[in-house]
């Protein structure tokens, strides 16, 4: 109901009008009747040279207005219902309800149609008009935005004469950081002014702020959620988020793939209806067990899906706490055992370093072996590599792994002969927590588990104890491993390559090796030829080792060296040839390997004539003795060096002349052969070296 202006309000308006006229004329007066914010606004208006007799404001053209409305579309969607609600209260009383942005532009307006044209003509109250104080003087919208606080301006308090017919109530709307977004305003006839109008506008502004705050928080939550989803989906592990009841509230695509499940089949369901720990079937039992683990614990978990074989995963569990430190859920990370093993083994060095390109040789026996290895590498069958010690059986195993379907998995090599008999089983198959005194509290995986998804190379398989052979046979047959002290088998996918230099058929006859295990391993048999069976490869191998140990120096090999090497029988095979070339590199001074740098046994066995020292010294001509400085008087052997030191009285420089070596080389040979030149010195007056 419309309220009539009181007598006191009329008196106030008349007195304000007189003060305004004196203010416009610039006369001195007592302005204490005015509220400070009104008087200060008048002063700002006069300082801005605003014409107090007419309205002079800017109105946006349609294009600029559309741009500004679109920029404020979100807040306008929230504000407009508030404008409608306020207008429903004052409808028919000549009121207009407006929203202005922070720059003072009217972007939304609702009012009585019958008075709309009148206000347009007198007050320019239209969408797109600017009500900034610096343009239209003291008015509720402009002064509210300037002071950033609610204000009601009644009749004569306006600075412009055309505005004095109206009363305006305006309240600012703030951002969360305290800056002004805009304001909401109610404009009506001055005679209808009421303090409650400002209160209603302030309540509406507060409601708008709360809705905007909720909207911003929801947007922030959605942004965080979108970021979290993106992070979870990009992680290379299975991620599952649980609430405190064990229900799945989020899961990434990799976890769904690992569990062979669809999103809708698990979301909102109890995770432990699908997964279990150590065979526990009750969801409550599984959740209780998980809750007892400290945050960050890592355990094994089994998926018992209906459409696939049971699978074992490694699980890391981290609790989520709210602000009151209460457990509100968990984040679970699932790792496939194969993936985890691949990562760990790569870091720890369990990977194959060689390929078939690493096998050097062109001999027929070498080519035949490589062809058979390539065929064996393509299959998933067990492989038994036989051959003499030093022939390169492990290199062949590396190459076959890298050519197989398991090449992305680990390559775990185990020397069965090097393991203590009491530890072979625990090393191969692992042990559960508390399996024996001194065992790790968390248990320990064996080499077969570490090789899951890849290859295990059992070198020196012929030296494996009989009791362990039985357990190995069971693993091969069932493709499952049971840790020592555990009752639960773990499914594994491991390719087995075994190697030995022993005669396994003979060991089977002597009851030292199980016959059934032998036939299980001997599916694809590969014999690595000895070096004497591939003599055409000796020069190639010699050059390769010379380059390998040259340290970047230019090394050449004398032709007679190749001939000597090819005539030797090489009982130590490639390993012995490698050591021989390394030794020769260390002994050469001029970058050329000659017969002098080869060991005596190789030269002798190859037919090289090396006269005994005593015979050489006895038959040497007297002239040679007198000319002790002649180069190459003594051979580069232990006996020859000792003879040279004897001849020179322990003088290293003179001995080097006799040997045809530099002083530095003699010292190096003395160190290599553990010869003490001091023992050859003759008396205290021996010349210094």
């Amino acid at each position: 109901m419309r309220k009539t202006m009181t007598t006191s309000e009329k008196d106030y308006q008349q007195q304000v009008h007189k003060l305004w006229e004196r203010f416009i004329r610039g006369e001195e007066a007592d302005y204490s009747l005015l509220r400070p914010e009104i008087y200060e606004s008048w002063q700002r208006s006069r300082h801005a040279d605003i014409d107090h007799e007419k309205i002079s404001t800017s109105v946006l053209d349609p294009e600029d207005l559309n741009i500004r409305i679109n920029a404020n579309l979100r807040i306008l969607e929230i504000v407009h219902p508030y404008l409608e609600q306020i207008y429903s209260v004052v409808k028919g009383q000549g009121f207009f309800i407006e929203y202005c942005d922070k720059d003072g532009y009217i972007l939304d307006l609702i009012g009585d149609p019958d008075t709309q044209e009148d206000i347009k003509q007198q007050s320019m109250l239209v969408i797109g008009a600017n009500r900034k104080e610096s343009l239209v003087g003291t008015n509720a919208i402009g002064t509210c935005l300037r002071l950033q606080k609610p204000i009601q301006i009644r009749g004569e308090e306006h600075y412009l004469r055309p505005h004095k017919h109206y009363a305006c109530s305006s309240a600012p709307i703030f951002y969360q950081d305290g800056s002004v977004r805009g304001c909401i305003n109610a404009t009506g006839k001055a005679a209808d002014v009421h303090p409650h109008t400002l209160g209603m506008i302030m309540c509406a502004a507060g409601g708008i702020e709360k809705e905007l705050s909720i909207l911003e928080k929801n947007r922030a939550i959605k942004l965080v959620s979108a970021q979290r989803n993106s992070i979870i989906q990009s992680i290379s592990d299975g991620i599952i988020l649980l609430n405190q009841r064990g229900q799945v509230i989020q899961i990434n695509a990799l976890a769904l793939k690992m569990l062979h499940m669809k999103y809708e089949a698990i979301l909102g369901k109890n995770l432990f209806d699908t997964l279990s720990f150590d065979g526990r079937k009750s969801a409550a039992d599984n959740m209780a067990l998980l809750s007892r683990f400290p945050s960050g614990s890592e355990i094994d978990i089994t998926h018992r899906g209906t459409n696939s074989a049971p699978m074992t995963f490694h699980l890391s569990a981290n609790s989520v706490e709210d602000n009151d430190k209460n457990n509100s859920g968990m984040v679970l990370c699932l790792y496939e055992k194969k993936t985890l093993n691949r990562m760990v083994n790569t870091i720890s060095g369990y990977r194959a370093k060689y390929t078939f390109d690493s096998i050097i040789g062109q001999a027929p026996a070498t080519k035949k072996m490589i062809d058979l290895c390539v065929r064996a590498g393509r299959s998933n069958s067990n492989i038994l590599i036989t051959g003499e010690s030093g022939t390169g059986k492990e290199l062949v195993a590396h190459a076959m792994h890298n050519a197989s379907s398991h090449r992305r998995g680990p390559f775990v090599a185990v020397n069965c002969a090097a393991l203590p008999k009491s530890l072979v089983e625990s090393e191969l198959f692992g042990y559960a927590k508390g399996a024996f005194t001194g065992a790790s509290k968390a248990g320990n995986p064996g080499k077969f588990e570490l090789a899951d998804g890849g290859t295990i190379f059992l070198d020196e398989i012929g030296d494996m104890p009989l009791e362990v052979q039985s357990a190995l046979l069971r693993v091969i047959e069932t493709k499952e491993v049971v840790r020592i002290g555990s009752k639960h088998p773990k499914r594994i996918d491991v390719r087995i390559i075994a190697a030995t230099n022993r005669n396994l058929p003979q060991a089977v006859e002597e009851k030292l090796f199980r016959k059934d295990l032998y036939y299980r391993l001997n599916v694809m048999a590969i014999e690595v030829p000895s070096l004497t069976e591939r003599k055409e490869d000796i020069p190639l191998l010699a050059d390769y080792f010379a380059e390998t140990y040259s340290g970047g120096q230019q090394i050449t090999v004398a032709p007679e060296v190749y001939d000597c090497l090819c005539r030797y029988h090489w009982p130590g095979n490639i390993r012995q040839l490698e050591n021989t070339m390394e030794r020769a590199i260390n002994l050469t001074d001029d970058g050329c390997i000659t017969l002098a740098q080869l060991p005596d046994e190789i030269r002798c066995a190859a037919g090289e004539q090396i006269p005994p020292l005593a015979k050489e010294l006895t038959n040497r001509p007297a002239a040679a003795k007198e000319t002790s400085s002649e180069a190459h008087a003594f051979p580069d052997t232990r006996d020859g060096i000792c003879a040279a030191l004897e001849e020179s009285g322990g003088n290293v420089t003179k001995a080097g002349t006799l040997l045809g070596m530099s002083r530095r080389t003699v010292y190096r040979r003395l160190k290599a052969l553990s010869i003490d030149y001091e023992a050859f010195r003759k008396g205290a007056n021996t010349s210094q070296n």
Side-chain angles (χ1 to χ4, degrees):
M1 183 174 68
R2 183 171 295 183
K3 176 183 176 294
T4 305
M5 185 181 295
T6 63
T7 302
S8 59
E9 179 65 21
K10 288 181 180 179
D11 291 342
Y12 169 76
Q13 290 292 331
Q14 290 173 358
Q15 293 180 54
V16 171
H17 180 72
K18 292 177 181 179
L19 287 174
W20 177 78
E21 288 181 332
R22 297 189 68 175
F23 181 84
I24 293 301
R25 292 194 297 268
E27 297 177 359
E28 294 291 334
D30 181 7
Y31 293 100
S32 61
L33 177 67
L34 297 174
R35 288 177 287 164
E37 56 266 30
I38 299 298
Y39 180 62
E40 291 168 2
S41 178
W42 282 5
Q43 290 179 314
R44 290 192 296 270
S45 300
R46 181 167 62 186
H47 188 265
D49 293 328
I50 296 172
D51 187 347
H52 61 279
E53 291 293 343
K54 63 179 182 179
I55 298 174
S56 177
T57 185
S58 63
V59 179
L60 295 171
D61 61 50
E63 183 177 352
D64 289 338
L65 176 60
N66 186 53
I67 292 173
R68 192 167 284 265
I69 287 176
N70 284 330
N72 290 270
L73 200 57
R74 184 176 290 106
I75 189 172
L76 287 172
E77 290 175 350
I78 294 175
V79 165
H80 191 76
Y82 282 87
L83 301 187
E84 289 182 331
Q85 188 174 9
I86 295 171
Y87 177 67
S88 68
V89 177
V90 297
K91 185 176 181 180
Q93 299 181 31
F95 273 88
F96 276 78
I97 316 300
E98 313 97 44
Y99 169 74
C100 299
D101 67 9
K102 61 184 178 61
D103 298 321
Y105 287 100
I106 300 173
L107 300 183
D108 198 0
L109 181 149
I110 300 177
D112 290 338
D114 56 344
T115 57
Q116 190 168 357
E117 288 301 321
D118 177 52
I119 291 183
K120 281 184 181 180
Q121 293 297 325
Q122 295 187 35
S123 184
M124 286 295 293
L125 194 67
V126 294
I127 292 179
N130 194 305
R131 312 301 282 187
K132 192 185 299 183
E133 189 184 75
S134 60
L135 291 177
V136 295
T138 305
N139 73 98
I141 294 173
T143 305
C144 169
L145 293 174
R146 174 61 188 262
L147 300 179
Q148 297 189 8
K149 69 178 185 178
I151 192 169
Q152 186 178 68
I153 297 180
R154 311 190 303 269
E156 296 293 341
E157 291 177 337
H158 288 89
Y159 187 74
L160 297 186
R161 191 184 298 277
H163 288 167
K164 292 182 180 292
H165 302 289
Y166 305 101
C168 304
S169 304
S170 188
I173 300 170
F174 294 99
Y175 284 99
Q176 286 182 299
D177 63 3
S179 59
V180 173
R181 289 174 179 256
C183 70
I184 186 171
N185 180 75
T187 301
K189 296 291 185 179
D192 301 329
V193 68
H194 197 293
H196 292 172
T197 306
L198 179 60
M200 181 172 58
I201 294 298
M202 289 172 63
C203 288
I208 292 169
E209 284 182 0
K210 288 179 180 178
E211 282 203 39
L212 288 170
S213 176
I214 292 172
L215 179 65
E216 292 297 330
K217 289 177 180 177
N218 286 339
R219 288 183 63 210
I221 291 171
K222 288 180 180 179
L223 177 61
V224 170
S225 179
Q227 292 172 337
R228 183 185 68 183
N229 289 340
S230 179
I231 292 170
I232 289 175
Q233 293 298 338
S234 65
I235 292 174
S236 57
D237 304 313
I239 302 294
I240 305 174
L241 274 60
L242 305 179
N243 62 18
Q244 63 270 32
R245 295 183 298 276
Q247 295 170 318
V248 178
I249 58 176
Q250 196 163 3
I251 183 170
N252 68 355
L254 183 58
L256 290 171
K257 182 179 179 181
M258 291 165 66
L259 299 175
H260 300 286
M261 298 192 72
K262 294 184 177 180
Y263 188 74
E264 58 273 12
I266 194 171
L267 189 67
K269 307 293 177 58
N270 193 300
L271 176 68
F272 303 108
D273 290 338
T274 303
L275 301 183
S276 67
F277 300 109
D278 297 330
R280 289 174 171 80
K281 296 183 178 181
S282 166
D285 289 346
N286 281 283
M287 190 64 186
L289 177 66
L290 186 62
S291 64
R292 290 197 296 270
F293 280 89
S295 186
S297 296
E298 297 185 357
I299 49 180
D300 287 338
I301 189 169
T302 302
H303 173 43
R304 58 172 193 274
T306 55
N307 299 324
S308 60
M311 293 180 294
T312 300
F313 302 102
H314 199 66
L315 180 145
S316 173
N318 291 275
S319 60
V320 179
E321 295 181 344
D322 58 20
N323 293 335
D324 297 325
K325 303 297 182 182
N326 296 319
N327 190 348
S328 60
M330 282 193 174
V331 178
L332 306 181
C333 296
L334 282 179
Y335 310 88
E336 264 192 297
K337 295 287 285 186
K338 294 179 185 178
T339 304
L340 181 64
N341 289 347
R342 187 182 302 130
M343 178 178 64
V344 172
N345 292 331
T346 298
I347 295 172
S348 61
Y350 287 146
R351 55 191 179 89
K353 297 179 288 185
Y354 307 110
T355 65
F356 287 118
D357 292 336
S358 305
I359 301 177
I360 299 170
Q362 296 295 326
T366 305
K367 290 182 178 180
K368 181 179 179 181
M369 178 201 68
I370 292 175
D371 180 67
L372 184 58
C373 288
V374 171
R375 295 174 182 273
R378 293 172 184 163
S379 74
N380 288 321
S381 301
N382 298 329
I383 297 173
L384 179 62
I385 305 174
T386 59
E388 297 177 7
S389 179
T391 53
K393 295 186 289 297
E394 184 167 351
L395 185 149
V396 170
H398 279 245
M400 283 193 289
H401 168 78
N402 280 327
S404 71
S405 59
H406 290 73
R407 59 186 174 275
R408 295 186 180 275
F411 178 86
V412 180
V414 182
N415 190 325
C416 299
L419 294 175
K421 187 175 181 180
S422 59
L423 297 179
V424 174
E425 197 166 357
S426 62
E427 282 290 319
L428 290 178
F429 311 124
Y431 56 85
K433 56 184 178 181
F436 49 82
T437 303
S440 169
K441 292 182 179 179
N444 200 57
K447 294 297 191 292
F448 271 91
E449 282 188 62
L450 292 176
D452 192 18
T455 299
I456 187 167
F457 175 55
L458 301 174
D459 198 9
E460 307 294 349
I461 188 70
D463 296 300
M464 178 177 285
L466 272 171
E467 57 271 23
V468 181
Q469 292 178 27
S470 302
L472 175 60
L473 180 64
R474 183 175 183 82
V475 170
I476 295 174
E477 291 177 341
T478 64
K479 297 188 182 300
E480 292 180 342
V481 170
V482 180
R483 293 186 184 183
I484 297 174
S486 174
K487 299 178 181 178
H488 305 290
K490 295 179 182 293
R491 190 80 175 171
I492 56 171
D493 174 23
V494 176
R495 208 282 180 82
I496 298 175
I497 300 178
T500 183
N501 59 7
R502 295 186 61 183
N503 187 332
L504 286 190
Q506 182 179 343
V508 169
E509 292 297 325
E510 296 173 356
K511 307 298 182 182
L512 298 176
F513 200 85
R514 290 182 63 105
K515 181 186 293 186
D516 45 6
L517 177 59
Y518 170 71
Y519 289 120
R520 280 288 186 180
L521 294 174
N522 195 30
V523 177
M524 294 286 290
I526 294 175
E527 183 175 359
V528 181
S530 64
L531 196 53
T532 54
E533 297 177 276
R534 43 184 295 201
K535 286 194 173 183
E536 299 93 326
D537 297 337
I538 291 177
L540 297 175
L541 290 167
D543 288 340
Y544 172 77
F545 292 133
E547 182 180 354
T548 299
Y549 293 105
S550 66
Q553 301 178 25
Q554 186 67 31
I555 299 294
T556 58
V557 181
E560 59 269 21
V561 172
Y562 293 127
D563 183 61
C564 181
L565 295 177
C566 288
R567 281 184 285 157
Y568 184 60
H569 60 283
W570 299 108
N573 291 292
I574 296 176
R575 187 179 294 118
Q576 184 184 4
L577 175 60
E578 180 179 1
N579 295 340
T580 298
M581 296 308 297
E582 183 180 3
R583 173 186 184 276
I585 291 291
N586 289 328
L587 296 179
T588 185
D589 288 315
D590 54 6
C592 180
I593 298 176
T594 64
L595 291 174
Q597 282 83 47
L598 296 183
D600 293 348
E601 64 270 20
I602 292 180
R603 288 189 291 170
C604 290
E608 294 293 326
Q609 295 299 319
I610 304 176
L613 177 63
K615 180 179 179 181
E616 181 178 342
L617 292 176
T618 303
N619 298 334
R620 190 186 324 147
K625 292 183 181 181
E626 294 172 0
T627 315
S628 61
S629 61
E630 182 180 353
H632 301 284
F634 295 90
D636 176 21
T637 62
R638 180 182 183 86
D639 291 341
I641 292 172
C642 289
L645 288 170
E646 183 73 29
E647 179 76 12
S648 64
N651 187 298
V652 176
T653 302
K654 291 182 179 180
T657 303
L658 294 171
L659 292 163
M661 298 180 185
S662 67
R663 184 166 173 264
R664 180 181 174 186
T665 302
V666 174
Y667 275 115
R668 190 167 62 184
R669 294 289 287 124
L670 293 174
K671 183 178 180 180
L673 297 172
S674 301
I675 299 174
D676 183 8
Y677 65 86
E678 297 280 356
F680 295 90
R681 293 197 169 184
K682 300 176 180 178
N685 296 325
T686 302
S687 59
Q688 297 298 313
N689 298 325

